[in-house]
Amino acid sequence: MGGTCAGRRAAQPRTDRARRHAGVHGRRRGRVHGGHRPAAGLGVGTLYRHFPDRAALLALISCDVLSRLTARTASAAASDLPRWEVLLGYVRDAVQEPFAMLKSVPVDDPDVAEPVARLHAVVLDVIKAAQAEGSLRADIEPAAVLDLLSLVVCRQGARADDPLALVVLDGLRSR
């Protein structure tokens, strides 16, 4: 079922309702596997009437999450905020999303690869701008900074104020 996120949405017009009821869309962290009932009380059978398998559901949710996060980060990047604040905003937004759950989506899934690339491009631009303004260490390659930030946000229980996030962000900040 290759294609784009939009194509996947168009092919399954009732998926928005199914995602909403599944309790896994957006900032809600529902469970969609192993026979567990999601937060909204829908069974797995109901989900699979709208999605061919778990991977298809997670890929569509990934597209939505990545697109929203990209839009928020790009909007902040277009503002007059200092680039460091934009980067912190990205981390605060990203830890609210279900990335730990979505890590099981194959990165070579063509529906997910494009939104991932768009998000990475926006965040890399913010990283380079923060380095240029002097708020982010310039001795670390932008791709390495992105990898560190991914480590911070793409794990179970991630929070912007947890010890790992604070240590990583403190280490990235210019002195």
Side-chain angles (χ1 to χ4, degrees):
M1 190 198 288
T4 65
C5 293
R8 192 175 283 213
R9 266 190 231 108
Q12 299 174 358
R14 297 184 340 165
T15 56
D16 286 341
R17 186 173 77 78
R19 281 186 312 230
R20 221 176 15 259
H21 291 300
V24 296
H25 184 58
R27 296 174 189 263
R28 300 173 84 183
R29 296 174 192 239
R31 294 168 61 129
V32 293
H33 54 81
H36 299 290
R37 284 193 171 280
L42 289 178
V44 173
T46 303
L47 291 174
Y48 289 141
R49 272 184 262 151
H50 300 284
F51 301 95
D53 56 27
R54 181 176 187 270
L57 172 62
L58 291 177
L60 186 61
I61 293 170
S62 295
C63 288
D64 289 344
V65 165
L66 292 165
S67 296
R68 284 194 321 272
L69 186 56
T70 301
R72 289 192 307 261
T73 304
S75 175
S79 74
D80 292 334
L81 287 172
R83 301 300 87 180
W84 180 255
E85 291 303 317
V86 174
L87 202 57
L88 291 179
Y90 161 75
V91 171
R92 282 190 296 270
D93 283 349
V95 297
Q96 297 299 313
E97 300 294 355
F99 282 116
M101 174 183 71
L102 299 177
K103 284 189 338 185
S104 65
V105 176
V107 290
D108 60 348
D109 181 320
D111 290 333
V112 178
E114 182 182 330
V116 166
R118 282 194 308 267
L119 176 62
H120 285 179
V122 169
V123 175
L124 281 170
D125 286 346
V126 171
I127 289 168
K128 291 173 187 173
Q131 287 176 325
E133 85 177 359
S135 59
L136 179 66
R137 289 176 49 176
D139 62 331
I140 304 173
E141 289 294 320
V145 173
L146 182 61
D147 288 345
L148 285 169
L149 293 177
S150 293
L151 173 72
V152 168
V153 302
C154 297
R155 59 192 172 79
Q156 193 71 25
R159 293 186 340 263
D161 64 347
D162 69 29
L164 178 63
L166 295 174
V167 167
V168 168
L169 292 170
D170 186 55
L172 291 173
R173 185 90 195 236
S174 287
R175 304 275 178 234

